[in-house]
Amino acid sequence: MFKWTAIRDHFRQMSRYIGLGTIIFLAGIIIGGINPAFRQFLDGQLEGLDQLVRGIENSTNPTLTMLLVIFFNNAIKAVLIMYFGALLGILPIVFLVVNGMVLGYMMQLNAEKYGAMQTVELMIKGILPHGWIEIPAIIIASAYGIRFGVIMLKLFGSGLFARSKAAANVKSLEYFLIRSVPVTVLLIVALAVAAVIESTVTGWILGK
């Protein structure tokens, strides 16, 4: 189950879904950055993040608290969107769109306030150090959630309209669940590394 060759081969099989997840996330960034219709909703999302940050800053050990909050928040969400994707893949799609919109909206607000060049610099300093791990991990988790939803849709469809394909779809489900286990472990490890970087390196760079 945990052989690297098997994990690599399954990643290749999932390449279309990972690509789709990337496109959905990028679309969310564009929507959040240019569409004022979602401003009130996104302001609410940012306010929630601000409250979380203030709570961390007021803790006895802000660095450790930030590490734990970021890790558990991201790890729990990653597992949920992978396996709750069984609900026809809706949750991971919504998750990707909303997170992309928040990022796009933050970039747009910073560009209005500080200008495009300073916004790019802020994104490089504030997101890139940990984001190169965290964002792909979230996209991959969402891709697996979307794939889970497709499998379940085919399974329900075969049960209702094409029972001859039911056995093959059950095998696809079993194979997916087996292969998702090592991916889940890898994603949790990756998100733990990203949380360490975000709570230490990213904060240090922004402070500089």
Side-chain angles (χ1 to χ4, degrees):
M1 179 183 292
F2 286 91
K3 289 183 178 180
W4 172 245
T5 53
I7 297 171
R8 181 195 60 198
D9 290 343
H10 197 245
F11 270 135
R12 288 175 179 172
Q13 295 171 21
M14 288 291 298
S15 59
R16 289 182 298 173
Y17 291 93
I18 295 172
L20 176 61
T22 303
I23 291 170
I24 294 171
F25 183 72
L26 292 175
I29 292 176
I30 294 171
I31 294 170
I34 67 174
N35 196 328
F38 299 99
R39 195 178 189 98
Q40 184 175 359
F41 167 73
L42 293 172
D43 281 337
Q45 295 294 308
L46 293 183
E47 177 60 28
L49 290 174
D50 286 339
Q51 291 178 0
L52 181 62
V53 170
R54 287 196 293 270
I56 291 172
E57 290 176 345
N58 292 329
S59 65
T60 55
N61 190 330
T63 300
L64 178 60
T65 302
M66 178 176 285
L67 191 158
L68 294 175
V69 168
I70 292 170
F71 169 66
F72 283 109
N73 179 64
N74 289 337
I76 291 171
K77 285 181 178 178
V79 173
L80 287 177
I81 60 178
M82 280 184 70
Y83 293 104
F84 276 77
L87 302 174
L88 308 183
I90 295 172
L91 181 61
I93 292 174
V94 172
F95 181 80
L96 283 173
V97 172
V98 170
N99 278 271
M101 288 172 64
V102 170
L103 181 57
Y105 185 54
M106 288 174 59
M107 293 170 65
Q108 185 260 335
L109 288 179
N110 277 281
E112 288 180 356
K113 189 173 183 179
Y114 302 110
M117 292 305 297
Q118 284 187 313
T119 298
V120 172
E121 182 182 356
L122 182 62
M123 293 299 109
I124 292 173
K125 291 181 177 179
I127 294 179
L128 187 60
H130 63 276
W132 71 275
I133 299 175
E134 183 179 298
I135 293 175
I138 293 301
I139 290 175
I140 290 170
S142 300
Y144 272 75
I146 295 170
R147 173 59 179 161
F148 199 178
V150 170
I151 292 173
M152 294 304 296
L153 185 61
K154 288 182 178 180
L155 189 60
F156 291 144
S158 63
L160 293 173
F161 306 110
R163 295 192 176 183
S164 60
K165 298 181 180 180
N169 289 327
V170 169
K171 287 184 179 180
S172 294
L173 175 60
E174 292 175 348
Y175 175 73
F176 173 82
L177 291 175
I178 291 171
R179 294 272 34 104
S180 70
V181 173
V183 173
T184 302
V185 174
L186 286 175
L187 290 178
I188 291 174
V189 172
L191 290 170
V193 173
V196 171
I197 295 173
E198 185 173 1
S199 60
T200 55
V201 176
T202 301
W204 177 78
I205 293 174
L206 289 174
K208 296 285 284 186

